[in-house]
Amino acid sequence: MRTILLFPITLLLFFTACKEIDRQAVNPSYDIRLDSQENTISILGPDGQTILVQNAKPDFRPYIHPFVSPDGKGTLTEYSPGHHRHQTGIYWGFTRVNGRDFFHHPEEDFWRRVDFKVLQDSSQVLSWSTEYEMLDSLGEVLMTETQTWIFREDDGKYLLDLIWQGRAEQEVTIGEYDYGGLFVRMPWQEGTPATVFNAARDRDLRAEGKRAMWLDLAMQVEGRNDFVHLAIFDHPQNGGFPQPWRVDGQFGVGPCRARLGDWNIPRGHTEIIKHRIEVSTESLNDVQLNERWEQYSGAEGMYSTASLWGIAQEEGRSARFLTPQEAIQEMTIKDDYEVNVWAAEPDITQPMAFCWDHRGRLWVAENRDYESRGSGFSNSGDSRILILEDTDQDGIADSRKVFLEGIAFPAAIAVGFDGLFLGAPPHLLFVPDKNKDDKADVEDIEIRLTGWGIRDRHETLNSLHWGPDGWLYGCQGFATPSVIRNPSGDDRLYRHQDAFPTDLLNQEGTAINGGVWRYHPTKDRFEVVAHGFSNPWGIDYDENGQIFISACVIPHLWHIIPGGIYQRQGGQHFNPFVYRDIQTIADHRHRSAHGGARIYQSDAFPQDQHGRIFMANIHEHAVLTDILIPEGSGYTGKHGEDFLLANNAQWIGFSLEIGPDGGVYVLDWHDADICGKEVVNKETGRIFRIMPQLQRRKTGREDTMISPPLMTWSSHNYRGIAATGTCGELASFYRNGELKDKSIRKRSSF
């Protein structure tokens, strides 16, 4: 009777799965054979060789072994290895079913076969099923499980779809445990090259317990001198999607919903779980693999991985708060580099932007008025612009000055022209300091431009940066429409408790709703450089003056061509006749979202880092690098390294700068809400400094680490400052482009 009840469900699911598969041609010379004497179902390849074997003994858990790679070089599965005797190739087993362990017990007291059969043998699909009763300690049936497998070959890859059905014959609780469900045991032994990579970009044992839509296991099995890849796809219809994954120390892998806690199947109900196994001998391309997962799951589009955003937010909320020094201890950094706390709370709180001046001091915008993405503007009233300095050159800020306080919502800053350019929507302000006393000349603050909106508070104007042409560049998010214009006599500064203007979009001006813009500080001109993107938050240029930005949600890396119209996260292009917008240069994907972008052009880091773009990643809580490779008329961005992993779910990298010592400085907003929906920790904020260890090992002295000359420190800062009131001071150091005073090379501030 149980078989009769399950058969209609199995048939329906089978033909639903086959409907999609039928659209794709399968090599008709593949064959499937059932051997009732050996209790096996085998798939045979075009040459008659066995590709995989489904074992279905009457008194033993069903499993697949062996499974041969698509090119015939090597077996992908292992049966009962010495380190895990209970593991049997590719199999299914829960660890706690009403307290009973079916993962570690494949034997007869736990499993009893009901049936195994070939479902379809055609040129379009090869499919079979196994049906087993799972027995309790008294020999009564707890659950009847049916596994339906569908095999096909597609463009040199093997695809193996699984539809698992579990009918509860009693009230069933699948108990919380670290592993259980679909599991794959590849033939690993000590010294076997192997690596794991998942959709959330966790590698190897970092993927243990992490949730992701797919996981790729690569291994150099016997008979190969390269990797063969076995990827497992989760399906959005599965409970707990995306499920956490088991990755054990011997590279056994499998999704495990039970890590999220107990879950129940009422008596008489059937739980359905779907997975795909993809086997390939090609090198891993995470973009293409994710596209194939999208095709399998039906979750296509730029939001296909949006479930990871919610997971990252949950992780931030549940993470333990770490002090700045505790945060350092949790970090993983590239070999031969070190990281230290350069500044932190209580000296800085809610830092949204920072930049260096020509004296080697770091200016910080504390946006204490930020409350959430959809509300808040001036309620706090104590937003500040700080000037921090490391006066004794020990790698830690020890001087703090308040340059300006009370201007609402400071979001971006750039030092220049004996003052500060301050992006504080709706305005771009110039805040002078004519007597250079490090105090803003508040009465002389100028509104240079106005019209920036704050519909989405973390997509307003940001990332001010002096360009190679002397213009001031910035970014703007797509979800905050703005109309930029010169101020009129009615425009004013906004301070504590002032309401944000409501008529911005009704004015004449230049419209922007996502893009890169620039402003000429002496000609008072505003231009949109490029339209599109999502929420770009980081801009820089290379040694040839080519401009690059980082972005969120959509692919993360973009080469900016003036006048270009680029992919948008949402909304419409202003020009309705755009045939096709410009796409990313990245050949890989990072998790959303990125904050900051700096191309390394100093000389404190080894030469292999020169020209790489450094980016902070908010959802990965990391500093990542990409390699910019000229290609055709543009560039390709290849993944460089996971340079620093914070291992701290409340670490929020907003921005990056290259310091006067050649170090990489990272601005950490630091909060339990990583997406800006609210501020949980209002009194936090950190700046971390990354430097090579090698220089200290050579010299044993901290001060000699701070040695690059001005021009090598950062060409960006020179170009920007040269357009400012400090140009004469800077030029006095040089004659015909050469330093006159060589001792400057040993100074830390200028």
Side-chain angles (χ1 to χ4, degrees), residues 3-80:
T3 302
I4 295 173
L5 289 173
L6 280 173
F7 183 72
I9 300 175
T10 302
L11 203 60
L12 176 62
L13 290 168
F14 169 71
F15 283 113
T16 301
C18 291
K19 184 177 180 181
E20 176 61 29
I21 291 172
D22 284 345
R23 299 173 187 160
Q24 305 184 38
V26 177
N27 191 324
S29 58
Y30 286 90
D31 195 14
I32 184 168
R33 296 180 184 176
L34 185 149
D35 188 328
S36 59
Q37 297 298 315
E38 295 295 328
N39 299 300
T40 60
I41 297 174
S42 301
I43 302 292
L44 307 181
D47 57 1
Q49 297 298 310
T50 300
I51 293 173
L52 69 80
V53 177
Q54 169 73 72
N55 296 268
K57 300 175 184 178
D59 54 0
F60 198 90
R61 179 177 64 202
Y63 63 93
I64 293 175
H65 173 76
F67 191 2
V68 178
S69 67
D71 59 5
K73 299 178 181 178
T75 299
L76 309 178
T77 53
E78 184 174 18
Y79 177 82
S80 191

Side-chain angles (χ1 to χ4, degrees), residues 498-659:
D498 286 341
F500 192 81
T502 59
D503 60 347
L504 289 177
L505 303 183
N506 300 326
Q507 306 294 323
E508 293 293 326
T510 301
I512 181 171
N513 62 352
V516 176
W517 54 269
R518 68 176 185 170
Y519 170 73
H520 197 287
T522 59
K523 297 180 180 180
D524 204 29
R525 286 172 50 192
F526 174 85
E527 298 176 357
V528 177
V529 178
H531 286 282
F533 313 110
S534 53
N535 183 21
W537 199 284
I539 183 170
D540 202 5
Y541 55 89
D542 67 7
E543 60 188 3
N544 298 312
Q546 297 294 307
I547 297 175
F548 301 84
I549 68 167
S550 63
C552 307
V553 181
I554 61 175
H556 64 276
L557 186 61
W558 305 83
H559 174 216
I560 302 305
I561 300 169
I565 299 176
Y566 288 77
Q567 176 187 352
R568 298 181 60 87
Q569 180 183 338
Q572 302 294 320
H573 292 300
F574 290 123
N575 183 348
F577 304 107
V578 172
Y579 176 70
R580 184 180 180 186
D581 45 31
I582 302 172
Q583 301 294 300
T584 180
I585 65 170
D587 68 354
H588 59 288
R589 294 293 182 268
H590 297 160
R591 287 179 68 179
S592 180
H594 290 72
R598 283 293 177 266
I599 298 173
Y600 196 83
Q601 299 182 62
S602 186
D603 62 359
F605 284 17
Q607 185 61 31
D608 64 350
Q609 300 300 319
H610 187 87
R612 294 195 179 196
I613 185 166
F614 282 69
M615 300 161 286
N617 185 288
I618 294 172
H619 287 190
E620 294 187 42
H621 314 289
V623 175
L624 310 177
T625 68
D626 277 358
I627 304 170
L628 302 172
I629 300 175
E631 183 174 333
S633 60
Y635 291 78
T636 294
K638 296 187 176 297
H639 182 65
E641 295 168 294
D642 298 348
F643 204 91
L644 180 146
L645 302 176
N647 303 315
N648 175 2
Q650 296 184 0
W651 188 95
I652 306 174
F654 256 23
S655 190
L656 292 169
E657 285 289 352
I658 310 300

